[in-house]
Each structure stands twice: as C-alpha cells, then as structure tokens.
Amino acid sequence: MEALPKQIASVADQVQEWVWDELWGRQAPTNWPVCPRHPDSHPMKATAQGAAGVWACPNDDAVINATTAAERIGLRALIVDALDGKAAAFYARHGFKPFTGKPLRLFHRL
Ligand SMILES: [Zn+2]
C-alpha cells in the first residue's frame, strides 16, 4: 500500500482532473487550485512532500496543504457514484470504500 502522503497527492491529482473537466465544460478558467503567488499564471500541483500531501507551486516553494485546499472547497472526503459494479471495483482498488447498503456510492477520506 502506498504511503498516505502519496495517496493524498494522487487523490488530489484525480480531483484536480475532475475539477478541470468540470470547469472546462463551463468554459471557466481551469487554473485550480489557484497559486497564491501567481494567481493568473498556473494552478498548484499535487505532490507528496515529507509526511504530507500538498499542493505546491511548480515555479517556487509556495505550498498549501492538500487538506487545507479540500477544506476551502468544503470537502473532507471524495464521494463517487460508480456507473456499475465494474467501475465500483475500480474505485475500490484505489482506496475508495462503499457506503453501507449502497455498493455503487463510494467515498475516500482526505
Ligand atoms: Zn506559482
């Protein structure tokens, strides 16, 4: 099993792709999460750093904790609705856990 910081970073990466898709679909700017130092330039990049999963600026050492970013958008766990059992199994392999009695709705704590 991967170390937790790496897991958080890869989940954050996945969330970022989902958010990008969503923003792209709305024709909104896709630089999310916004870099605090270069807000008009680029998004932060999810990465494992020491004992934490963090969002980091790709250009300098600006770092915000991935959990903090998740709290900013009101998210403590990722919830997915899988289309079918095969998709649910895919999420389960990536650390998601099904809700009791709802095998196609899964969550991943951040
Ligand atoms: Zn930056």
Side-chain angles (χ1 to χ4, degrees):
M1 184 156 164
E2 276 191 324
L4 186 60
K6 275 195 171 174
Q7 280 190 328
I8 292 174
S10 72
V11 169
D13 240 359
Q14 179 65 66
V15 173
Q16 192 172 35
E17 277 175 31
W18 291 339
V19 171
W20 283 349
D21 279 350
E22 181 67 21
L23 292 172
W24 181 257
R26 295 180 190 182
Q27 301 185 332
T30 56
N31 61 332
W32 183 93
V34 173
C35 176
R37 293 198 192 162
H38 318 100
D40 299 319
S41 170
H42 53 243
M44 305 288 268
K45 168 117 183 66
T47 180
Q49 191 170 94
V54 297
W55 295 106
C57 171
N59 291 1
D60 64 21
D61 59 353
V63 159
I64 57 174
N65 189 286
T67 308
T68 305
E71 284 168 356
R72 273 187 204 164
I73 60 170
L75 186 73
R76 292 307 307 264
L78 299 177
I79 296 173
V80 297
D81 286 311
L83 290 178
D84 54 28
K86 200 174 151 195
F90 170 84
Y91 287 116
R93 280 200 303 278
H94 288 83
F96 284 76
K97 303 254 185 294
F99 281 85
T100 306
K102 291 185 178 176
L104 296 184
R105 172 162 283 193
L106 303 93
F107 68 97
H108 194 306
R109 282 183 183 280
L110 294 177

